[in-house]
Amino acid sequence: MNVRRSAAVLAAVAVIGAATPAAADPSPSPSQAFPSALYGGTDPKYDGVWRQSLALLAQDTVGVKPAAKSVQWLARQQCENGSFAAYRPDPTAACDAKTMLDTNATAAAVQALTALGGHDDVTGKAVGWLKSVQNKDGGWGYSPGGASDTNSTSVVVGALAAAGEKPDQVEKDGKSPYDALLKLALPCGGEDDGAFAFQPDKKGKLAANADATAAGVLGSLGKGMVVEPGKKSDATCEKAGTPEQAAANGAGYLTAALAKDDGHLMSALAGAEPQPDYGNTADAVVALAAQGDTAQAEKSVRWLEKNSAAWAAQSGPAAYAQLIFAAHATGTNPRDFGGADLVKQLGATGPAPQTAEKTKASDEKKEDSGSDFFGVWWYVGVCLVAGIGIGFLFTGRKKKQQQP
């Protein structure tokens, strides 16, 4: 999830997680001012909605009420048809045929705005649009009409579930998202038992992808980025005839991959030496916790506590959000994460949140009215290149957006 996890990213043919702290976009010059309501100081062209959604969702997860203008900015990024693009510099201008609509940004926005509450009109239209661009195999690609991939399908599943839909009943030509995910799961009995691929290659072959596997586990469980520890499963790798078995298989693959490298995942850009992949490791922690494999999740979150500070500082709000999601999933204090206050660090990348007093009053009002049905909900989620790998969390998002 580095950009779907450092700036967030889900690139099409490969996913690039937060492997190596990728070079950040240059800070804006005085003449290159970005919206004051936006989190992060780098160019939002490819990940504005994504990182804003993760930042708001992470704050909500830890009981912080985000600045009203930041929530309003996100809601106003929506196109008339319900979709979201990666970033619209002028939200008053109508979306047109040139607007690059983004299933991942749309799904992330749904998860954030549903958790925050009070935006049923926005999330309802967004869910309607997501259903309208579902592929015949039951899944979703990064862009409408694109081939289904594990990451995109899984983040949409999280959005559907957050909005009160039953993902297994959201079908196209009789196929649900779970049918699409099962087709992207590698069989048992090979070197990469139970992993998920991002997409099949041109010959239809599936290649294991750790970031896609983390996303696939969550998607198969019908969960988003914010999860509570699941019930421990002792399932071994078996033929994935159900999404639950596919999730168990994927978790087994992640556990082995994390254990092999001292509790973290590795990835490498073409021609470069493999490097620790912080964003994808955080995603794996969330996935394992959701599956109930808490022992390895806790070991890996301890590694993140010791090693992720520089990566998060360079990568920005989406990275801090990923770490907060990993901390939440394992019961780790995000305000003392290896000595760092992730909540404060995230808050420093954008507008100051509303005061604690306002937050308390708002919560009491919600409790009295009973209107906050969904309470504190959960995520999203990028892309690790099939040989590379931040991620959600993704940069890879740039590469995807530049494709015709």
Side-chain angles (χ1 to χ4, degrees), residues 199-266:
Q199 284 177 331
D201 63 19
K202 293 181 179 180
K203 296 182 179 180
K205 184 178 179 180
L206 300 178
N209 182 302
D211 186 58
T213 302
V217 170
L218 289 176
S220 296
L221 292 172
K223 297 186 178 296
M225 281 199 246
V226 180
V227 306
E228 303 295 335
K231 184 178 180 180
K232 173 63 179 174
S233 170
D234 296 321
T236 57
C237 194
E238 299 178 4
K239 182 177 179 180
T242 65
E244 292 80 9
Q245 184 62 54
N249 293 349
Y253 170 84
L254 289 174
T255 296
L258 289 164
K260 182 173 65 174
D261 287 302
D262 194 30
H264 62 87
L265 297 174
M266 300 286 289

Side-chain angles (χ1 to χ4, degrees), residues 19-45:
T20 318
D25 291 333
S27 298
S29 63
S31 61
Q32 189 185 15
F34 299 131
S36 63
L38 184 66
Y39 280 81
T42 57
D43 192 338
K45 182 176 181 180

Side-chain angles (χ1 to χ4, degrees), residues 166 192 217 305 312 330 372:
K166 295 182 178 180
D192 298 315
V217 170
E305 283 187 298
T330 55
D372 190 15

Side-chain angles (χ1 to χ4, degrees), residues 52-116:
Q52 190 84 347
S53 298
L54 266 65
L56 299 180
L57 181 57
Q59 288 186 320
D60 181 78
T61 299
V62 296
V64 172
K65 191 173 183 65
K69 69 177 183 179
S70 293
V71 180
Q72 185 180 60
W73 180 90
L74 178 59
R76 288 180 175 177
Q77 284 286 301
Q78 187 174 44
C79 295
E80 181 60 30
N81 67 359
S83 67
F84 284 75
Y87 173 67
R88 297 171 59 205
D90 181 9
T92 64
C95 299
D96 56 25
K98 294 182 179 179
T99 305
M100 298 186 70
L101 306 181
D102 181 340
T103 62
N104 291 258
T106 302
V110 168
Q111 294 190 48
L113 293 173
T114 298
L116 293 166

Side-chain angles (χ1 to χ4, degrees), residues 1 5 210-215 217-218 227 250-251 253-255 257-258 263-265 277-294 296-298 300-301 304 322 325-326 329-330 392-393:
M1 202 157 94
R5 292 147 207 324
D211 186 58
T213 302
V217 170
L218 289 176
V227 306
Y253 170 84
L254 289 174
T255 296
L258 289 164
H264 62 87
L265 297 174
D277 192 332
Y278 305 90
N280 292 344
T281 298
D283 291 346
V285 167
V286 175
L288 289 180
Q291 175 61 24
D293 293 344
T294 55
Q296 183 59 60
E298 290 171 359
S300 294
V301 87
L304 287 168
Q322 283 178 266
F325 296 147
T330 55
F392 348 137
L393 64 39

Side-chain angles (χ1 to χ4, degrees), residues 130-140 167-177 179:
L130 287 169
K131 290 181 177 181
S132 76
V133 296
Q134 185 176 17
N135 291 331
K136 291 182 178 180
D137 63 4
W140 285 267
D168 63 330
Q169 296 179 12
V170 177
E171 297 184 337
K172 182 70 172 287
D173 290 355
K175 299 292 185 181
S176 79
D179 291 307

Side-chain angles (χ1 to χ4, degrees), residues 370-383:
S371 62
D372 190 15
F373 176 79
F374 291 104
V376 178
W377 250 98
W378 13 300
Y379 164 108
V380 169
V382 266
C383 293

